[in-house]
Amino acid sequence: MPPVPAAVPGAAGKPRWWPALPVLVCSMLLAALVTAACAAHGAPFGADEVLHRWVLEHRPRWAVGSAAAVTVTGSGVPAYVLAALAGVMTVRTRRWRGALAGALAGALAGALALVSVQLPRIALASWLARPRPPADEWAWSADGYAMPSGHTTTSAAVAVLLTAGVHRAVRGRARRVLLVMPALWAAAVGVSRVYLGMHWPTDVLAGWLLTAIWAGLLGMFLILHRRRKAGAVPSNEGEGT
């Protein structure tokens, strides 16, 4: 009697499409936000103006310097280095030769994952073409359109990748702390964009919503990939009989 293959978690039964719900909710919220911005012809909402004015009245020099130090980590080279690191953390192998190739592949995968969220963000921002707050109110340099915030979207996506990397690579007491740190960092980057006067608050909100949609779709893709891979095991074993 041939041995019965061990059950693979998630391989049997209905697909676990739990990421579909947040994707749906966040998609509806982002669509409503973009629709409202279009209806206002890119003008800031009332809440945007209130928070923006409050920020301008509460910006001591030391706080501006701290916000600038945080905001520069949320895009460009630092963000892609962190994304590559997150990709490396997902690689598991015991052979040193395989470890090197796996690390390179993981780093590339992390960078490409970050690129995959940049494309829809740039397309949406270019289509919406929402202006930023007045440039004379900025405490740092910026370019491009306002919604969704590029730094916010980028840092949130990197936080998702880092969380996945920590979840896979880290064990022990430090794991809980390290799982929280990426989200705190991404939140700080988003807040810094508003504090430095370069984005309306709803620009940051749009960036977070877009990243949540991207993360949910990525999760659905990984679930489907694992189910197909797990479902292929019995069929491959049966080919030799």
Side-chain angles (χ1 to χ4, degrees):
M1 182 176 179
V4 179
V8 180
K14 296 182 179 180
R16 298 178 181 177
W17 294 120
W18 57 265
L21 180 59
V23 168
L24 178 61
V25 172
C26 292
S27 296
M28 294 174 63
L29 292 175
L30 181 59
L33 186 58
V34 169
T35 301
C38 288
H41 302 287
F45 305 119
D48 284 327
E49 293 182 325
V50 170
L51 290 173
H52 183 71
R53 292 301 167 192
W54 184 90
V55 164
L56 296 180
E57 296 172 0
H58 299 81
R59 285 202 310 200
R61 183 174 300 179
W62 67 266
V64 170
S66 299
V70 171
T71 209
V72 296
T73 65
S75 186
V77 174
Y80 277 93
V81 169
L82 290 174
L85 175 62
V88 172
M89 293 173 67
T90 63
V91 177
R92 286 184 178 179
T93 180
R94 296 181 179 180
R95 299 179 180 179
W96 68 269
R97 293 182 180 179
L100 179 58
L104 293 175
L108 180 60
L112 291 177
L114 189 55
V115 170
S116 70
V117 76
Q118 297 296 341
L119 297 179
R121 195 271 305 173
I122 293 172
L124 179 58
S126 300
W127 175 75
L128 190 57
R130 189 189 202 191
R132 293 174 180 268
D136 59 354
E137 297 174 346
W138 299 355
W140 198 252
S141 60
D143 55 18
Y145 295 116
M147 179 184 282
S149 165
H151 280 68
T152 301
T153 306
T154 301
S155 60
V158 172
V160 171
L161 297 174
L162 285 173
T163 301
V166 169
H167 185 271
R168 183 172 178 83
V170 180
R171 296 291 183 270
R173 297 180 179 179
R175 188 185 191 191
R176 294 183 179 180
V177 176
L178 293 177
L179 284 173
V180 175
M181 289 180 62
L184 295 178
W185 165 71
V189 172
V191 171
S192 73
R193 305 305 289 172
V194 176
Y195 194 78
L196 294 172
M198 298 176 292
H199 277 287
W200 304 111
T202 47
D203 299 336
V204 172
L205 176 59
W208 284 335
L209 289 173
L210 178 60
T211 305
I213 296 169
W214 167 83
L217 292 175
L218 182 61
M220 292 169 65
F221 170 79
L222 292 176
I223 289 174
L224 180 61
H225 175 71
R226 288 180 180 179
R227 286 182 60 84
R228 287 182 174 178
K229 186 177 180 180
V233 172
S235 61
N236 288 342
E237 291 178 351
E239 290 177 357
T241 59

